[in-house]
Amino acid sequence: ANPRDKPITTNKTLTLKFGGNSKDFPMYLVSDSRPNDDDVKKYVNVQKNSREKVLSKREASRLRRRQDDLVNNYTYTKEDIERNLQERKKTGKTSTNLGLEQTRAEIAVQSAESALSEAKRRLED
C-alpha cells in the first residue's frame, strides 16, 4: 500500500493458515509489510515439519500479481452490487433516503457497464 493512498476500511476477514492451524482475522489486523528473514525461516520450518508444500518465490510473485490485478481492475457485477446492498441493509448502514440508495446503485451499475464495454472494446482492438 502506498502511504499517500486513502486508507480503506473493511469488515472482511482473512483466513490465515500456518502449519496445520487456520484462523480467521479481520483484514485490518493483517500486516501488509514484507516478511523479514525470521518470518520466512519460521514459515519454511513449520511447512516442512507438517510435510506441507512451501510457497516458492515464483508462486508468491504470481499470487501477488493476481491480487494486484484484482484490486486495481475488478469490475463490479450487478450481483456484487445487490449483495453489497443486502449486507449494508443487514448491518444497518443504509441511507434512510431510498431515492439516494437507488441513485447510488444506478451509478454503480452504469459504471460497471461502462467498464465492461470499455474492456470489450479493448479486447476487440
Side-chain angles (χ1 to χ4, degrees):
N2 191 344
R4 294 175 295 183
D5 290 343
K6 177 181 168 188
I8 300 171
T9 58
T10 182
N11 59 355
K12 305 276 190 233
T13 59
L14 187 64
T15 302
L16 298 178
K17 184 176 180 185
F18 193 78
N21 303 320
S22 64
K23 187 174 178 181
D24 293 336
F25 290 93
M27 286 190 69
Y28 68 87
L29 292 178
V30 179
S31 173
D32 61 351
S33 62
R34 292 181 178 268
N36 57 32
D37 290 336
D38 290 336
D39 293 334
V40 174
K41 286 177 186 174
K42 285 180 187 177
Y43 166 73
V44 170
N45 286 336
V46 168
Q47 291 299 96
K48 286 182 178 178
N49 288 341
S50 61
R51 297 177 187 233
E52 293 193 27
K53 182 179 170 187
V54 176
L55 185 66
S56 69
K57 287 183 181 182
R58 175 182 261 173
E59 290 173 292
S61 295
R62 184 181 55 80
L63 288 172
R64 178 61 186 242
R65 283 192 308 270
R66 186 170 169 227
Q67 176 188 1
D68 289 344
D69 186 51
L70 281 173
V71 167
N72 296 324
N73 300 321
Y74 185 76
T75 303
Y76 286 97
T77 62
K78 287 185 178 183
E79 292 82 22
D80 292 334
I81 295 167
E82 290 297 324
R83 184 174 49 248
N84 190 5
L85 286 174
Q86 293 302 324
E87 287 177 10
R88 290 178 68 190
K89 285 180 184 177
K90 286 180 186 176
T91 59
K93 292 185 179 179
T94 59
S95 173
T96 56
N97 185 344
L98 182 59
L100 178 62
E101 279 299 317
Q102 288 175 335
T103 303
R104 284 182 182 162
E106 184 62 32
I107 290 170
V109 168
Q110 287 175 355
S111 173
E113 288 173 347
S114 66
L116 180 63
S117 65
E118 176 68 22
K120 284 181 181 178
R121 186 187 60 74
R122 278 190 273 146
L123 187 62
E124 291 173 358
D125 290 345

